[in-house]
Structures are given as C-alpha cells and as structure tokens.
Amino acid sequence: MELLEWSSFATRIGDVFHSYYEIPFYHLLVEIALILFIIKILMSKSTASPGEESPLTEPEIEKLIAEWNPEPLVPKDALEKEPVVPVVESKVGKYVTINGSECLNLATMNFLGMIGKQEIEEAAVASVQKYGVGACGPRGFYGTIDVHLLLEEKLAQFMEVEEAIIYSYGFSTVASAIPAYSKRGDVIFCDKEVCYAIQKGVLASRSIVYYYEHNDMDHLVELLEAQAARDRKNPKKARVTNRFLVTEGLFVNTGQIANLPRLIELKQMYKFRIFLDESYSFGVLGENGRGLTEFYQVDRRNVDMITGSMECSLGSVGGFACGSSFVIRHQRLLGAGYVFSASLPPLHASMVITAMEFFEKDLFTRLEENCKLVQQELEAVDTIVITADPRSPLKHVRLIDNNDEDNLKKICAVAREEHLALTTACYTTTELFPKEPSIRLTVNSELTSDDIVSSIKKIARIIKQLTLLPSETTGS
C-alpha cells in the first residue's frame, strides 16, 4: 500500500517537471523573477519604521517652530487690490441708485424695462401669498407646481414649438442641455466667442470639440470638410457618431448676431444638429421678440433645440429650452439642472407669465431704434472702436489706444460720479480664449433720444478728460 502511494507521488512530481519542460522559457523566467522579488520584499527591513526614529528634543522642536514661516492664506496685497464694488440700492430700471447716487442705467440686461412694472410686482406678491417663496424640491420630487406647467405651455405657444421646459437658473439651462444629448465620442462644432455657460456645457459633454473663428463660415466649412473626410475613412464609427453645432443667437461677448441661414444650409449639407442659445436674443430680435429664427424668417424646425434665459428681457430668474417634444422630454430625464436642482420659485414663474403679456411690436421696435441710435452716436466718437451689430442692445466699447482694463474702469468710475452707470465686461480666469477688455454698454427700450445723445457725449468727454490717449497727453 505504501509502495503504491510513493509511486503515485513520484508520478505526480514527474508530471510537474514534465509540464515545466513544456512551458515557454520566457514564462519560466518571469515566474522566477516574481518569486525572487517577493522574497526580497519579505526579507527587506523598512527604513521608515516609526519605532526606529529618534524623537526630537525640546530645543529642536522650539527651533523648528521659530524657523517656520507659514504662507498667508490670503496674499498680503489682496486687500489693497480689492476693488470697490458698486452697491445697487434701488430697482434696476432706467435709473438705478448706486452707492447713494442715482444714475442713468447703461449697464443693465433689463432690455425691455420689465423690472419695476406694477403688474409684474403684483403677480409676484400674489404668487408668494399662494405658494410661498420657494419650491424646495426638484421637478420630479414634489417640485412641480401648476404655474410651472402653465409657463412651459405659454413659452411653447409663443415660440411656436411643440414643447418647452424651464430651469431654475439661466446658466444651468444650456450648460445642462448640451451634455444631455452630446456624449463622449460625439463631435461638437462651436463658435470661439460663445458665452461661459456654453463652454461649461461643452466641457461637461466630454465630446470632441472643434472651435471655429467667430462667425467665420469659411473656417467652419473647413472643419466640417475635415470631419467628413474622417467619416469617410471610418464609416463604421461615423454611423454611431452624433454631430452638433452650438452657437449663440446674439453673442454676449461681441454683440454680433449669428448667421443662422448659412448655418442651416451647412446643416443640410453636412448632417449635424443645431443647438441655438437665445439667452440675449430672446425678447430682443424679431418682430415679436421670438429671437433669431423670427429675425431671419426661417422655419424653427430647422433648429433642433433653442435655449433661452428669463433673466434678461423678462426681468426674472431661470431659463428655458424648447423644440420638438421628442427632444425636450429627453431633458426631463437627463438635464442635470432640471433633475437635481430645486425648481424655479413659483413667484418667478408668475412674473414671467405676466411679463410676456407686455410683448408688443412697438416695444421691440422702440428697442431696435434705440440700439441703432446708440451705435450711430458711438461710431461718431473718434477715440473708440465698437464691435456690435447695430440692432444689438449689447455694445462693446474699446479705446483705440491704451485699451487696458484699468483705464476702462477709470472711465466707468468717473461716469458714475456724473450719474451714468457703465460697467466693464467681466470674464473668469478659465475662459477658453482670451478676451480683449471692453466697456459693455447696454441699451434698453426706456431710453429716450436725448438720454442716448447726452450719454454718449458724456462718455466721449470723460475719455478726453482722463487724457488716456497719447495724442491728448502730448497736447496737454
């Protein structure tokens, strides 16, 4: 019996050695190296054992503490550089009180003068009395209130689309809508001068992004042709790649208007979807304020999704997206700002519903006339350059010489002393592309011709008084 057991054991040992002969030589070397490495680790002593460290003496500890010079949490010159922030002490209407001084307001996005209208304020008060101040919950978790549904219906009817969805914050609207559709591996074509909210939405999508020069359709065609060539090389990948074009209708960073008819032509040629952000063109462009599609008289069905803000022309808070029901309902599940944020306070929904009742052709006509008059007066000033479409209520004013931010801020500060509210354009340090400093002058429908002419003359005089230009300095 024992003989059989030893024989069996010897057989197994022989099988093991035989199997090693069949293993590739490099495989055997790797195993031996791993075994030697493990043995070395087990036998080596730790050089950082806490028990073997010699404790510091009291004098050594005191010396280290005395020599330690911690870096300040806040830079020493931070307080010296801290800007004096203008404090608003009134309604942001045609006139605004800043630091106790009443100024004509050329810095507000309240393009249609909705802030301060008695009917809108009464609607807000009635809503607070009925619903309270906030919703305290996302739309899917007891945050949907009847005025939300009514507002979405009103917006869809006004924009002449199938469905609309509202968000509680204008910034999060487009920043949530873009990544709800465009994913990793998809392709986005985007204008270089889009606002920061679009930049964040594009970044969150993790898509492949190609930026074309501002409003440069020729450069866009080059990028589209390059993408078409890549698609032809890899048709299998092309079939599962979604392509989007994202642009603003009215660019807040330049005051220019997108060439929507040309974009629609390119859409038909290169097969991509158009996402149009109308945050600054809604309630501004078009005969009835419907934005870029009405401005160019194009079929809204050619634009796959329109987003907008209720924080400019409507004088409230929040944003919206609208389009076909197929597109909009997708956001109710995947729009992060819709799903996870508390819903729009009902008082703001009531305010927007009431504000839209003031949308009349005369209001938009008056705003357009004011925009053109401001452009005309600014272009007559020989010390500045304007980058804006004449019909845009956003005008970026830059000095021909010495156009740095400090000089522009001095102009704004002196203007406030003379009861004129101006502001420089502000950008974050994480903007994708550098922005040239400017005074962002805004136009609203409540301004009179005399207000406009006298204000532009005042701005021109302030520039000369500050002797910011070399020619002026030499002459003095």
Side-chain angles (χ1 to χ4, degrees):
M1 187 68 177
E2 291 182 1
L3 184 61
L4 289 173
E5 290 178 357
W6 276 106
S7 176
S8 177
F9 176 74
T11 302
R12 286 198 296 272
I13 293 296
D15 292 340
V16 170
F17 279 105
H18 181 71
S19 64
Y20 270 107
Y21 281 113
E22 295 179 349
I23 295 174
F25 182 69
Y26 69 87
H27 191 281
L28 189 60
L29 287 178
V30 171
E31 287 187 352
I32 293 172
L34 288 173
I35 292 171
L36 293 175
F37 180 69
I38 293 171
I39 293 172
K40 180 181 178 182
I41 292 175
L42 294 175
M43 296 184 67
S44 63
K45 293 183 179 180
S46 174
T47 57
S49 176
E52 296 180 5
E53 291 181 357
S54 58
L56 295 173
T57 63
E58 284 296 327
E60 288 175 330
I61 294 174
E62 294 296 331
K63 183 181 179 182
L64 287 173
I65 293 174
E67 293 175 351
W68 183 50
N69 186 19
E71 297 233 350
L73 295 176
V74 179
K76 293 180 180 178
D77 58 348
L79 295 178
E80 298 174 5
K81 293 182 178 179
E82 186 176 3
V84 178
V85 179
V87 179
V88 176
E89 301 167 349
S90 68
K91 296 175 184 178
V92 189
K94 176 182 177 181
Y95 293 95
V96 60
T97 302
I98 301 174
N99 296 338
S101 176
E102 187 179 68
C103 302
L104 182 67
N105 197 351
L106 296 183
T108 180
M109 298 288 187
N110 181 29
F111 301 134
L112 300 179
M114 294 298 177
I115 294 176
K117 287 192 180 294
Q118 183 178 350
E119 295 88 342
I120 297 176
E121 292 177 349
E122 289 174 353
V125 170
S127 181
V128 169
Q129 291 174 342
K130 180 177 181 180
Y131 302 105
V133 176
C136 294
R139 288 289 299 270
F141 297 91
Y142 298 102
T144 296
I145 300 173
D146 54 4
V147 287
H148 294 149
L149 302 177
L150 179 59
L151 175 55
E152 289 175 343
E153 182 182 348
K154 293 280 187 184
L155 285 167
Q157 289 175 354
F158 179 76
M159 292 299 291
E160 299 175 342
V161 295
E162 293 179 0
E163 195 167 334
I165 183 173
I166 60 173
Y167 287 75
S168 55
Y169 183 30
F171 185 100
S172 67
T173 304
V174 67
S176 298
I178 293 171
Y181 302 96
S182 187
K183 304 297 182 183
R184 187 189 297 275
D186 292 337
V187 176
I188 295 177
F189 299 93
C190 194
D191 193 293
K192 274 189 173 182
E193 291 294 343
V194 292
C195 64
Y196 193 61
I198 291 179
Q199 294 176 32
K200 292 290 103 178
V202 167
L203 180 64
S205 73
R206 301 175 298 174
S207 303
I208 301 167
V209 187
Y210 298 104
Y211 287 94
Y212 58 92
E213 296 297 330
H214 182 44
N215 259 351
D216 188 339
M217 298 296 101
D218 292 336
H219 186 216
L220 174 59
V221 170
E222 290 178 15
L223 296 177
L224 292 169
E225 282 290 344
Q227 180 62 39
R230 286 189 290 269
D231 291 343
R232 286 191 294 270
K233 287 182 180 179
N234 192 348
K236 185 176 180 181
K237 181 180 178 182
R239 282 195 294 270
V240 295
T241 300
N242 296 309
R243 299 162 200 80
F244 302 90
L245 185 137
V246 182
T247 184
E248 285 182 274
L250 174 60
F251 291 89
V252 67
N253 290 333
T254 66
Q256 298 289 344
I257 297 173
N259 188 351
L260 185 59
R262 178 58 174 155
L263 293 176
I264 292 174
E265 287 178 16
L266 295 176
K267 172 188 175 179
Q268 306 300 333
M269 292 172 60
Y270 294 97
K271 309 304 179 186
F272 55 78
R273 297 174 175 87
I274 296 178
F275 286 177
L276 177 65
D277 182 48
E278 301 244 43
S279 292
Y280 301 95
S281 49
F282 177 79
V284 171
L285 298 179
E287 187 179 11
N288 299 287
R290 292 189 175 94
L292 209 60
T293 52
E294 185 177 59
F295 178 77
Y296 284 116
Q297 292 296 307
V298 299
D299 191 339
R300 285 181 190 82
R301 289 174 295 182
N302 289 320
V303 178
D304 297 273
M305 183 179 66
I306 296 174
T307 58
S309 173
M310 299 185 288
E311 299 170 358
C312 298
S313 296
L314 290 168
S316 185
V317 172
F320 68 91
C322 62
S324 66
S325 296
F326 175 77
V327 171
I328 297 305
R329 289 177 185 176
H330 184 74
Q331 289 183 57
R332 299 191 190 277
L333 294 175
L334 291 177
Y338 179 90
V339 175
F340 300 110
S341 296
S343 61
L344 183 71
L347 73 98
H348 290 292
S350 300
M351 288 170 61
V352 172
I353 292 171
T354 307
M356 290 179 67
E357 296 175 2
F358 289 92
F359 276 16
E360 297 176 353
K361 292 182 181 180
D362 291 343
L363 186 62
F364 304 114
T365 301
R366 188 161 64 250
L367 176 61
E368 182 177 343
E369 289 173 352
N370 284 351
C371 292
K372 290 179 178 178
L373 179 58
V374 168
Q375 185 92 1
Q376 176 184 318
E377 293 297 314
L378 286 173
E379 288 176 348
V381 180
D382 59 3
T383 56
I384 60 177
V385 174
I386 313 302
T387 58
D389 188 280
R391 295 154 293 189
S392 166
L394 294 162
K395 313 289 185 184
H396 284 267
V397 179
R398 296 181 174 90
L399 301 173
I400 292 177
D401 296 305
N402 297 334
N403 185 61
D404 60 71
E405 194 168 352
D406 289 338
N407 285 337
L408 297 176
K409 286 183 176 179
K410 287 178 185 176
I411 294 172
C412 294
V414 175
R416 281 196 299 274
E417 294 174 3
E418 299 197 18
H419 307 287
L420 184 63
L422 298 176
T423 183
T424 56
C426 298
Y427 305 104
T428 71
T429 57
T430 54
E431 288 275 350
L432 289 177
F433 303 99
K435 310 297 180 188
E436 189 179 356
S438 66
I439 293 174
R440 191 184 64 201
L441 187 150
T442 58
V443 187
N444 64 74
S445 61
E446 295 186 306
L447 296 173
T448 65
S449 299
D450 290 340
D451 292 330
I452 293 170
V453 173
S454 62
S455 297
I456 305 306
K457 286 182 178 179
K458 187 178 292 186
I459 292 171
R461 176 173 53 80
I462 290 171
I463 293 174
K464 290 183 179 181
Q465 284 178 348
L466 292 175
T467 62
L468 296 173
L469 300 175
S471 58
E472 295 292 335
T473 304
T474 304
S476 63

